[in-house]
């Protein structure tokens, strides 16, 4: 239990020391009007860039440098849209093929039913009942 207390005490003292040092550096900086204007101009230069630099911003990025979050998001949206279009296309193709196969099967069943009916009519001699009623039950 004592080592936990020692660790907690050292962490707490480090936090207090860092906060005091941060306040000390903030107070040591002179706040003059010229320094504030200079800082605001530097901030403007950091935020805004020249038009020529802005037009070539994406072109300057090397192939091996990491992409920005916006570029990654745009690429992901494009991939998702392409996947959705591909899925819709293949779903439509599958539905058309299933309809075609169903029609082919229906036509084949109709032809075979007509052929069986014709065979029964041709071979029926009129003396015996039709095949369905001529079963011998055991």
């Amino acid at each position: 239990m004592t080592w936990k207390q020692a660790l907690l005490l050292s962490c707490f003292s480090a936090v207090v020391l860092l906060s005091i040092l941060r306040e000390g550096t903030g107070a040591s900086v002179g706040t003059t009007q010229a320094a504030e204007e200079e800082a605001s101009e530097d901030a403007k230069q950091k935020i805004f860039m020249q038009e020529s630099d802005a037009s070539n911003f994406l072109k300057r990025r090397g192939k091996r440098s990491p992409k920005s979050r916006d570029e990654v998001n745009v690429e992901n949206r494009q991939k998702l849209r392409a996947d959705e279009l591909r899925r819709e296309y293949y779903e439509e193709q599958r539905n058309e093929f299933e309809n075609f196969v169903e029609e082919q099967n229906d036509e084949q069943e109709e032809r075979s039913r007509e052929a069986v009916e014709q065979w029964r009519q041709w071979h029926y001699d009129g003396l015996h009942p039709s095949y369905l009623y001529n079963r011998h039950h055991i």
Side-chain angles (χ1 to χ4, degrees), residues 34-79:
E36 289 178 5
E37 290 176 6
E38 220 175 277
S40 66
E41 287 179 14
D42 288 341
K44 286 180 183 177
Q45 287 178 354
K46 288 180 183 177
I47 293 173
F48 300 106
M49 59 174 50
Q50 297 294 326
E51 186 177 350
S52 59
D53 293 338
S55 65
N56 295 328
F57 179 73
L58 293 176
K59 294 178 185 175
R60 284 190 307 162
R61 187 177 66 78
K63 292 182 180 178
R64 297 176 69 101
S65 64
K67 298 177 182 175
S68 69
R69 176 61 61 191
D70 293 331
E71 287 179 275
V72 171
N73 288 340
V74 167
E75 286 182 4
N76 285 340
R77 280 198 304 270
Q78 288 175 345
K79 288 177 186 177

Side-chain angles (χ1 to χ4, degrees), residues 6 20 23 77 84:
I20 290 172
E23 290 176 7
R77 280 198 304 270
E84 183 181 352

Side-chain angles (χ1 to χ4, degrees), residues 119-131 134:
W119 186 88
R120 285 184 180 159
Q121 287 177 358
W122 175 260
H123 291 283
Y124 180 62
D125 57 0
L127 300 176
H128 302 287
S130 66
Y131 173 76
N134 198 15

Side-chain angles (χ1 to χ4, degrees), residues 79-97:
K79 288 177 186 177
L80 290 175
R81 179 67 180 147
D83 289 344
E84 183 181 352
L85 291 174
R86 188 179 306 115
R87 191 179 311 114
E88 289 175 1
Y89 171 76
Y90 284 119
E91 183 179 359
E92 183 179 345
Q93 293 294 319
R94 185 178 64 242
N95 287 340
E96 289 179 5
F97 181 72

